[in-house]
C-alpha cells in the first residue's frame, strides 16, 4: 500500500509566487577527513595538481550558482553573494559556504551544494595521496555536511 502511495505522487516545483522577496542567508559546513600526510602537503603547498583549497572555493561558488541544474526542483535564484572558506585541522579540512540572496525562497540548498562540491573537489585534487596500495580510500571520508544557519529578513525599502 505504501509503495502505491509513493509512486502515485507527482513531482512538482513549489509555487512561490505569493511569497514576498526577503533577504535570505544560509551557511552550510562539511568536512573531509584526510590522511595527516595529505593535510601536511596542502599546508606546504606541495600538492601536484595545485592548491586544492583554491579549486574548492571556485568549485563551491560555481556549484551554488548552478544548484537548479543539479537539484531539479530548486528555483533559479539570483545570488548576491557566495563565500566559501575553509579551516585546516590535523586530519581534516572543514569547508563553510555562506550564500546570500534577495529572493522569495531560501538559499540553504545552494549553501549545501557549494559545500558538497568544494569537498568533492578537494578529494579530487588530493586523491593520489589518499589511495592505499590497492587503490582504495580507507581513510578518506566526506562527513557532517549540514546547514548551521538560516536567516530570513524583511526587505528594507
Amino acid at each position: 500500500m505504501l509503495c502505491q502511495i509513493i509512486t502515485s505522487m507527482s513531482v512538482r516545483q513549489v509555487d512561490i509566487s505569493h511569497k514576498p522577496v526577503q533577504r535570505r542567508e544560509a551557511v552550510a559546513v562539511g568536512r573531509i577527513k584526510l590522511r595527516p600526510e595529505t593535510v601536511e602537503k596542502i599546508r606546504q603547498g606541495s600538492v601536484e595538481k595545485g592548491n586544492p583549497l583554491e579549486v574548492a572555493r571556485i568549485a563551491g561558488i560555481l556549484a551554488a550558482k548552478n544548484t537548479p541544474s543539479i537539484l531539479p526542483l530548486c528555483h533559479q535564484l539570483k545570488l548576491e553573494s557566495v563565500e566559501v572558506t575553509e579551516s585546516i585541522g590535523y586530519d581534516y579540512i572543514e569547508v563553510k559556504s555562506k550564500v546570500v540572496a534577495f529572493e522569495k525562497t531560501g538559499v540553504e540548498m545552494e549553501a549545501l551544494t557549494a559545500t558538497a562540491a568544494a569537498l568533492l573537489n578537494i578529494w579530487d585534487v588530493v586523491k593520489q595521496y589518499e589511495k592505499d596500495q590497492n587503490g582504495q580510500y580507507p581513510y578518506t571520508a566526506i562527513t557532517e555536511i549540514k546547514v548551521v544557519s538560516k536567516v530570513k529578513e524583511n526587505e528594507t525599502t
Side-chain angles (χ1 to χ4, degrees):
M1 183 67 162
L2 181 60
C3 235
Q4 291 174 332
I5 293 171
I6 291 173
T7 58
S8 68
M9 297 173 72
S10 61
V11 176
R12 65 180 180 86
Q13 190 175 45
V14 175
D15 180 1
I16 60 169
S17 61
H18 64 283
K19 294 175 78 175
V21 171
Q22 295 178 293
R23 184 181 183 279
R24 311 286 184 139
E25 177 182 304
V27 178
V29 298
R31 284 188 177 186
I32 183 167
K33 183 178 177 187
L34 300 168
R35 296 173 186 266
E37 306 82 44
T38 303
V39 173
E40 190 55 32
K41 282 187 170 297
I42 294 168
R43 286 183 196 274
Q44 293 174 356
S46 60
V47 174
E48 184 180 343
K49 284 187 175 182
N51 186 338
L53 305 181
E54 288 180 11
V55 174
R57 284 184 220 119
I58 297 296
I61 292 167
L62 187 60
K65 293 163 62 172
N66 286 292
T67 298
S69 298
I70 301 166
L71 304 173
L73 299 182
C74 282
H75 292 84
Q76 185 73 40
L77 304 178
K78 181 180 176 286
L79 304 182
E80 302 292 334
S81 173
V82 179
E83 181 180 339
V84 179
T85 57
E86 67 289 318
S87 58
I88 302 174
Y90 171 71
D91 65 348
Y92 69 88
I93 300 192
E94 183 172 275
V95 170
K96 178 169 74 170
S97 301
K98 177 181 171 184
V99 178
V100 177
F102 286 89
E103 288 287 350
K104 294 181 175 192
T105 189
V107 291
E108 56 270 11
M109 298 313 295
E110 287 75 8
L112 287 164
T113 302
T115 298
L119 292 167
L120 286 167
N121 275 274
I122 292 169
W123 189 324
D124 180 52
V125 174
V126 302
K127 67 185 173 197
Q128 72 188 74
Y129 311 114
E130 290 295 299
K131 293 178 187 176
D132 68 9
Q133 64 276 11
N134 298 317
Q136 301 301 309
Y137 301 96
Y139 196 82
T140 317
I142 293 174
T143 64
E144 303 178 42
I145 299 174
K146 59 187 173 185
V147 175
V148 295
S149 174
K150 180 181 169 188
V151 178
K152 177 172 60 171
E153 300 171 4
N154 290 331
E155 183 179 24
T156 58
T157 54

